[in-house]
């Protein structure tokens, strides 16, 4: 949702996340320096300074949330001039030992630029087709969808009685304001320093 | 949002660049057994350009915290 100032736009971005997360955890959102006001750079967002939170539930699961976002100008006349756009997400449900159960990824700076999930090695048998580095394509996922999945499918216990309408409302907000669903826009990433001199790591490149 | 209550249990904490670099270092050490500085050097050289390892993504997401 837009805002009259960068800070207002970030607060509008954070409020739905706070509501969503409050459905399953008592946690603190951590922003990188300048995350409320600095325009023209990508900011980081995680929980509890990148420590997984511990929702209640039968499986004693952990949840780690990571996002990157940027404060950008709104190019629509008559709208508030600033909004926040997500640049990447990387959420993971972990077992009680901190090992991955399922990961929800969109990190377009990497080789695989579309949204996908990974299955944790803890959930896979040996000598099977699937492995934890396999990228399983998905549409763009919202944090609201991930939290709902945790509650409805992974037996995470909600902390508030109104979790269902909260997640439904916040997901509707997300869908109203997102700029893409299936195919993300081409990443606008500055070239890395010294990109011409890149000693490659030896080994085979796996192709899909 | 009718029929719901805004919960103030999820606060927001903006960390400093130094604190953010510590976060990245801790993640790099835990997931890849290297320092945060070494991770950033490898990242900038393109060492991870072709990787499929989710652990790399876990650490790379913290780059905005460190610089």
């Amino acid at each position: 949702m837009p805002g009259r100032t960068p800070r207002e736009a970030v607060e509008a971005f954070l409020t739905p996340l706070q509501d969503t997360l409050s459905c399953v955890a008592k946690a603190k959102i951590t922003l990188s320096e300048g995350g409320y006001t600095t325009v023209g750079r990508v900011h980081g967002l995680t929980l509890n300074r990148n420590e997984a939170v511990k929702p209640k539930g039968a499986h004693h699961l952990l949840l780690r949330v990571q996002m990157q976002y940027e404060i950008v100008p709104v190019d629509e006349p008559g709208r508030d001039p600033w909004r926040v756009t997500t640049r990447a997400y990387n959420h993971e449900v972990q077992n009680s030992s901190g090992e991955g159960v399922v990961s929800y990824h969109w990190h377009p700076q990497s080789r695989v630029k579309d949204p996908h999930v990974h299955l944790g090695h803890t959930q896979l048998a040996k000598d099977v087709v699937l492995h934890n580095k396999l990228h399983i394509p998905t549409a763009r996922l919202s944090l609201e969808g991930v939290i709902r999945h945790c509650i409805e499918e992974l037996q995470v216990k909600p902390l508030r009685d109104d979790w269902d309408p909260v997640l439904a409302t916040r997901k509707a907000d997300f869908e109203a304001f997102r700029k893409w669903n299936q195919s993300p826009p081409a990443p606008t990433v500055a070239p890395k320093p010294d990109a011409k001199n890149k000693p490659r790591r030896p080994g085979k490149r796996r192709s899909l | 949002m009718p029929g719901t209550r805004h919960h103030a249990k999820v606060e927001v904490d903006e960390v400093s660049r130094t604190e953010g670099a510590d976060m990245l270092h801790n993640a790099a050490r835990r997931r890849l057994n290297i320092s945060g500085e070494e991770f950033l050097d490898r990242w900038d050289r393109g060492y991870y350009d072709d990787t499929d390892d989710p652990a790399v993504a876990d650490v790379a997401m913290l780059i905005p915290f460190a610089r």
Side-chain angles (χ1 to χ4, degrees):
Chain A
M1 286 178 258
R4 290 169 297 176
T5 66
R7 174 174 286 272
E8 200 170 277
V10 173
E11 289 172 346
F13 170 70
L14 291 175
T15 296
L17 298 181
Q18 290 172 286
D19 281 348
T20 293
L21 290 164
S22 73
C23 292
V24 294
K26 298 176 185 179
K28 186 174 285 189
I29 291 176
T30 304
L31 302 183
S32 55
E33 185 179 276
Y36 270 113
T37 55
T38 304
V39 175
R41 60 162 287 148
V42 174
H43 298 289
L45 181 154
T46 185
L47 299 184
N48 296 350
R49 302 194 174 197
N50 202 46
E51 294 299 322
V53 298
K54 298 179 181 179
K56 296 181 180 180
H59 297 300
H60 306 288
L61 298 172
L62 307 177
L63 174 66
R64 195 213 52 223
V65 170
Q66 294 178 326
M67 299 175 73
Q68 292 180 355
Y69 67 92
E70 187 174 352
I71 308 166
V72 297
V74 173
D75 55 2
E76 297 172 45
R79 301 288 300 273
D80 285 338
W82 297 101
R83 68 179 181 90
V84 169
T85 186
T86 304
R87 291 300 190 200
Y89 62 76
N90 182 18
H91 312 316
E92 184 171 66
V93 175
Q94 302 170 346
N95 63 16
S96 58
S97 300
E99 297 170 298
V101 171
V102 59
S103 306
Y104 313 88
H105 285 192
W106 174 53
H107 38 78
Q109 289 195 47
S110 304
R111 184 179 71 84
V112 178
K113 302 186 186 309
D114 290 336
H116 56 272
V117 295
H118 292 271
L119 300 180
H121 72 90
T122 59
Q123 310 301 303
L124 300 171
K126 294 182 180 179
D127 301 323
V128 295
V129 174
L130 300 183
H131 54 84
N132 74 313
K133 296 182 181 180
L134 191 71
H135 303 82
I136 302 172
T138 67
R140 180 178 180 178
L141 299 178
S142 65
L143 183 60
E144 292 78 8
V146 170
I147 298 298
R148 178 176 290 279
H149 182 253
C150 287
I151 294 172
E152 293 184 340
E153 304 278 351
L154 300 179
Q155 286 82 53
V156 167
K157 186 177 179 181
L159 294 184
R160 49 191 294 181
D161 295 335
D162 58 350
W163 65 271
D164 187 15
V166 166
L167 294 181
T169 300
R170 290 310 187 185
K171 187 163 186 280
D173 292 340
F174 164 80
E175 292 173 349
F177 286 96
R178 68 185 173 189
K179 299 298 183 184
W180 63 273
N181 178 31
Q182 297 290 341
S183 299
T188 53
V189 178
K192 294 176 181 177
D194 299 319
K196 292 181 180 178
N197 299 313
K198 301 193 300 181
R200 291 285 182 173
R201 182 182 55 175
K204 296 179 182 179
R205 173 177 175 164
R206 184 180 297 114
S207 59
L208 296 177
Chain B
M1 193 165 53
T4 63
R5 291 163 289 134
H6 176 66
H7 279 235
K9 291 178 181 168
V10 179
E11 299 176 344
V12 182
D13 172 29
E14 181 179 337
V15 297
S16 68
R17 190 63 48 79
T18 300
E19 292 169 321
D22 286 343
M23 286 167 51
L24 183 140
H25 172 77
N26 291 337
R29 186 63 71 190
R30 186 167 57 229
R31 296 307 305 271
L32 301 172
N33 201 28
I34 58 175
S35 70
E37 186 176 347
E38 175 64 20
F39 176 82
L40 290 172
D41 180 65
R42 291 184 180 186
W43 181 263
D44 290 340
R45 285 190 283 115
Y47 181 87
Y48 294 121
D49 281 359
D50 296 338
T51 187
D52 293 326
D53 189 350
V56 173
D58 292 350
V59 181
M61 288 294 291
L62 301 176
I63 290 176
F65 283 93
R67 64 182 189 191

